[in-house]
């Protein structure tokens, strides 16, 4: 989607909904609830995750400005949310009634195609994340998560790439589908090797190539190798 199409897309989505301010730590929606709205994020960060029956969490995405969430409920009669959306920082979203968006898409083929392109990109991102989880084990899941965080939120510094979003070890573990203790141990090993450092809750990656080599990185396009 080019810049002009992106602006048109954003303007169109915000015109359909009502603006909501949501506070850090609250939930936009939770898995199993009846799906009434989709949400377009104007500002802030919102985490999308899946819970299992034991209450364990698998974090899938950190969404931010320009993202649409709740999209898996479109054109599904009696739809319920399949995922949970937790607000990571104070955010502003446009809440768009699902039925209204469906009507608009049915009457506007151009925008329907743009939505299909956007959803296709996110499905491909999700497939690569599950590939890393399944094929590379816990270490591969953590290393690929760090690489994705660098691509999404990395800020270049003299000594490496600062991941400019604070994440606890438990939150990192949720992205890897493993226990916090396992992530603690692996991060400790990376610190000893000088691959990463941690300051004020933020990770700085000093040797990104090490992480790539350890998981036999396939060199996915930057638009796929992201956490958002």
């Amino acid at each position: 989607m080019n810049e002009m199409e992106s602006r048109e897309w954003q303007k169109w989505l915000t015109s359909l909904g009502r603006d909501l301010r949501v506070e850090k730590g609250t939930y936009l929606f939770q898995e199993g609830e009846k799906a009434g709205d989709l949400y377009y994020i104007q500002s802030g960060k919102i985490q999308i995750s899946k819970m299992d029956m034991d209450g364990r969490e698998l974090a899938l995405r950190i969404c931010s400005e320009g993202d649409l969430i709740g999209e898996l409920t479109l054109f599904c009669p009696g739809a319920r949310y399949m995922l949970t959306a937790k607000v990571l920082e104070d955010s502003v979203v446009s809440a768009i009634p699902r039925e209204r968006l469906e009507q608009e898409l049915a009457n506007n083929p151009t925008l329907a195609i743009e939505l299909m392109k956007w959803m296709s990109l996110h499905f491909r991102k999700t497939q690569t994340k599950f590939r890393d989880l399944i094929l590379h084990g816990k270490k591969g899941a953590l290393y690929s998560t760090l690489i994705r965080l660098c691509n999404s939120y990395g800020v270049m510094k003299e000594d490496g790439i600062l991941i400019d979003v604070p994440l606890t070890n438990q939150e990192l573990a949720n992205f890897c589908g493993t226990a916090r203790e396992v992530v603690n141990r692996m991060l400790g090993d990376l610190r000893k090797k000088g691959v990463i450092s941690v300051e004020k809750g933020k990770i700085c990656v000093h040797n990104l190539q090490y992480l790539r080599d350890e998981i036999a990185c396939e060199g996915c396009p930057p638009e796929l190798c992201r956490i958002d």
Side-chain angles (χ1 to χ4, degrees), residues 133-166:
L133 279 171
I134 294 169
L135 296 182
H136 300 301
K138 295 179 174 61
K139 184 175 80 170
L142 175 62
Y143 289 11
S144 65
T145 295
L146 292 174
I147 294 170
R148 293 174 193 280
L149 286 166
C150 284
N151 291 336
S152 295
Y153 299 107
V155 177
M156 293 301 301
K157 300 290 184 181
E158 289 184 3
D159 59 344
I161 303 172
L162 175 68
I163 299 174
D164 195 22
V165 56

Coordinates of all heavy atoms in Angstrom, one line a residue, residues 133-166:
L133 N 8.7 -21.0 15.9 CA 8.4 -21.7 17.1 C 8.5 -23.2 16.9 O 9.0 -23.9 17.8 CB 6.9 -21.4 17.5 CG 6.7 -20.1 18.2 CD1 5.2 -19.8 18.4 CD2 7.3 -20.1 19.6
I134 N 8.0 -23.8 15.8 CA 8.0 -25.2 15.6 C 9.3 -25.8 15.2 O 9.8 -26.8 15.7 CB 6.9 -25.6 14.6 CG1 5.5 -25.2 15.1 CG2 7.0 -27.0 14.2 CD1 4.4 -25.2 14.1
L135 N 10.0 -25.1 14.3 CA 11.2 -25.7 13.7 C 12.5 -25.4 14.6 O 13.4 -26.2 14.5 CB 11.5 -25.1 12.3 CG 10.4 -25.5 11.3 CD1 10.8 -25.0 9.9 CD2 10.2 -27.0 11.2
H136 N 12.5 -24.3 15.3 CA 13.8 -23.9 16.0 C 13.7 -24.1 17.5 O 14.7 -23.7 18.2 CB 14.1 -22.5 15.6 CG 14.4 -22.3 14.1 ND1 15.3 -23.1 13.4 CD2 13.8 -21.5 13.2 CE1 15.3 -22.7 12.1 NE2 14.3 -21.8 12.0
G137 N 12.6 -24.5 18.0 CA 12.5 -24.7 19.5 C 12.5 -23.4 20.3 O 12.4 -22.3 19.7
K138 N 12.8 -23.5 21.6 CA 12.7 -22.4 22.5 C 13.7 -21.3 22.2 O 13.5 -20.1 22.2 CB 12.8 -22.9 23.9 CG 11.6 -23.7 24.4 CD 11.8 -24.2 25.8 CE 10.6 -24.9 26.3 NZ 10.3 -26.2 25.5
K139 N 15.0 -21.8 21.9 CA 16.0 -20.8 21.6 C 15.7 -20.1 20.3 O 15.9 -18.9 20.2 CB 17.4 -21.6 21.5 CG 18.5 -20.6 21.2 CD 19.9 -21.3 21.2 CE 20.1 -22.0 19.9 NZ 21.5 -22.5 19.8
G140 N 15.3 -20.8 19.3 CA 15.0 -20.2 18.0 C 13.8 -19.2 18.2 O 13.8 -18.1 17.5
A141 N 12.8 -19.6 19.0 CA 11.7 -18.7 19.2 C 12.2 -17.4 19.8 O 11.7 -16.3 19.4 CB 10.7 -19.3 20.1
L142 N 13.0 -17.4 20.9 CA 13.5 -16.2 21.5 C 14.4 -15.4 20.6 O 14.2 -14.2 20.4 CB 14.3 -16.6 22.8 CG 15.0 -15.3 23.4 CD1 13.9 -14.4 23.9 CD2 15.9 -15.8 24.6
Y143 N 15.3 -16.1 19.9 CA 16.2 -15.3 19.0 C 15.5 -14.7 17.8 O 15.7 -13.5 17.5 CB 17.3 -16.3 18.4 CG 18.3 -16.7 19.4 CD1 18.2 -16.5 20.8 CD2 19.5 -17.4 19.0 CE1 19.1 -16.9 21.7 CE2 20.4 -17.9 19.9 CZ 20.2 -17.6 21.2 OH 21.2 -18.1 22.2
S144 N 14.5 -15.4 17.3 CA 13.7 -14.8 16.2 C 12.8 -13.6 16.7 O 12.6 -12.6 16.0 CB 12.9 -15.8 15.5 OG 11.9 -16.3 16.3
T145 N 12.4 -13.8 17.9 CA 11.6 -12.7 18.5 C 12.4 -11.4 18.7 O 12.0 -10.3 18.4 CB 11.0 -13.1 19.9 OG1 10.1 -14.2 19.7 CG2 10.3 -12.0 20.6
L146 N 13.7 -11.6 19.2 CA 14.6 -10.5 19.3 C 14.8 -9.8 18.0 O 14.9 -8.6 17.8 CB 15.9 -10.9 20.0 CG 15.8 -11.3 21.4 CD1 17.1 -11.9 21.9 CD2 15.3 -10.2 22.3
I147 N 15.0 -10.6 16.9 CA 15.3 -10.1 15.6 C 14.0 -9.3 15.1 O 14.2 -8.2 14.6 CB 15.6 -11.2 14.6 CG1 16.9 -11.9 14.9 CG2 15.6 -10.7 13.2 CD1 17.2 -13.2 14.2
R148 N 12.9 -9.8 15.3 CA 11.6 -9.2 14.9 C 11.4 -7.8 15.7 O 11.0 -6.8 15.1 CB 10.4 -10.1 15.1 CG 10.4 -11.3 14.2 CD 9.3 -12.2 14.6 NE 9.4 -13.5 14.0 CZ 9.1 -13.8 12.7 NH1 8.6 -12.8 12.0 NH2 9.3 -15.0 12.2
L149 N 11.8 -7.9 17.0 CA 11.6 -6.6 17.8 C 12.6 -5.6 17.3 O 12.3 -4.4 17.2 CB 11.9 -6.9 19.2 CG 10.8 -7.7 20.0 CD1 11.3 -8.2 21.3 CD2 9.6 -6.7 20.2
C150 N 13.8 -6.0 16.9 CA 14.8 -5.0 16.3 C 14.2 -4.4 15.0 O 14.4 -3.2 14.8 CB 16.1 -5.7 16.0 SG 17.1 -6.1 17.4
N151 N 13.6 -5.2 14.2 CA 13.0 -4.7 12.9 C 11.8 -3.8 13.1 O 11.6 -2.9 12.4 CB 12.6 -5.9 12.0 CG 13.8 -6.6 11.5 OD1 14.9 -6.1 11.4 ND2 13.6 -7.9 11.1
S152 N 11.1 -4.1 14.2 CA 9.9 -3.3 14.4 C 10.1 -2.0 15.3 O 9.6 -1.0 15.0 CB 8.8 -4.1 15.2 OG 8.4 -5.2 14.3
Y153 N 11.0 -2.2 16.3 CA 11.2 -1.1 17.3 C 12.6 -0.7 17.5 O 12.9 0.0 18.5 CB 10.5 -1.5 18.6 CG 9.0 -1.7 18.5 CD1 8.5 -3.0 18.6 CD2 8.2 -0.7 18.3 CE1 7.2 -3.2 18.5 CE2 6.8 -0.9 18.2 CZ 6.3 -2.2 18.3 OH 5.0 -2.4 18.1
G154 N 13.5 -1.2 16.6 CA 14.9 -1.0 16.8 C 15.3 0.5 16.5 O 14.9 1.1 15.6
V155 N 16.2 1.0 17.4 CA 16.8 2.3 17.2 C 18.3 2.1 17.1 O 18.9 1.5 18.1 CB 16.5 3.3 18.4 CG1 17.2 4.6 18.2 CG2 14.9 3.4 18.4
M156 N 19.0 2.5 16.1 CA 20.4 2.3 15.9 C 21.2 3.2 16.9 O 21.0 4.4 17.1 CB 20.8 2.7 14.5 CG 20.3 1.8 13.4 SD 20.8 0.1 13.6 CE 22.6 0.2 13.6
K157 N 22.1 2.5 17.6 CA 23.0 3.2 18.5 C 24.4 2.8 18.1 O 24.7 2.0 17.3 CB 22.8 2.7 20.0 CG 21.4 2.9 20.5 CD 21.1 4.4 20.7 CE 19.8 4.7 21.4 NZ 19.5 6.1 21.6
E158 N 25.4 3.5 18.7 CA 26.8 3.3 18.4 C 27.2 1.8 18.6 O 28.0 1.3 17.9 CB 27.7 4.2 19.2 CG 27.6 5.7 18.8 CD 28.6 6.5 19.5 OE1 29.4 6.0 20.3 OE2 28.6 7.8 19.3
D159 N 26.7 1.2 19.7 CA 27.1 -0.1 20.0 C 26.1 -1.2 19.7 O 26.2 -2.4 20.1 CB 27.4 -0.2 21.5 CG 26.2 0.2 22.4 OD1 25.3 0.8 21.9 OD2 26.2 -0.1 23.6
G160 N 25.0 -0.9 18.9 CA 24.1 -1.9 18.6 C 22.7 -1.3 18.3 O 22.5 -0.2 17.9
I161 N 21.7 -2.2 18.4 CA 20.3 -1.8 18.1 C 19.5 -1.8 19.4 O 19.3 -2.9 20.0 CB 19.7 -2.7 17.1 CG1 20.5 -2.8 15.8 CG2 18.2 -2.3 16.8 CD1 20.0 -3.8 14.8
L162 N 19.0 -0.7 19.8 CA 18.1 -0.6 21.1 C 16.7 -1.0 20.7 O 16.1 -0.3 19.8 CB 18.2 0.8 21.7 CG 17.3 1.0 22.9 CD1 17.8 0.2 24.1 CD2 17.3 2.5 23.2
I163 N 16.1 -2.0 21.4 CA 14.7 -2.3 21.2 C 13.9 -1.3 22.1 O 13.9 -1.5 23.3 CB 14.4 -3.7 21.5 CG1 15.2 -4.7 20.6 CG2 12.9 -4.0 21.4 CD1 15.1 -6.1 21.0
D164 N 13.4 -0.3 21.4 CA 12.8 0.8 22.2 C 11.4 0.6 22.6 O 10.4 1.3 22.4 CB 12.9 2.1 21.3 CG 12.6 3.4 22.1 OD1 12.8 3.3 23.4 OD2 12.2 4.4 21.6
V165 N 11.2 -0.6 23.3 CA 9.9 -0.9 23.9 C 10.2 -1.7 25.1 O 11.0 -2.7 25.0 CB 8.9 -1.6 23.0 CG1 9.6 -2.8 22.4 CG2 7.6 -1.9 23.6
P166 N 9.8 -1.3 26.3 CA 10.1 -2.1 27.5 C 9.3 -3.4 27.6 O 8.1 -3.4 27.4 CB 9.7 -1.2 28.7 CG 8.7 -0.3 28.1 CD 9.0 -0.1 26.6

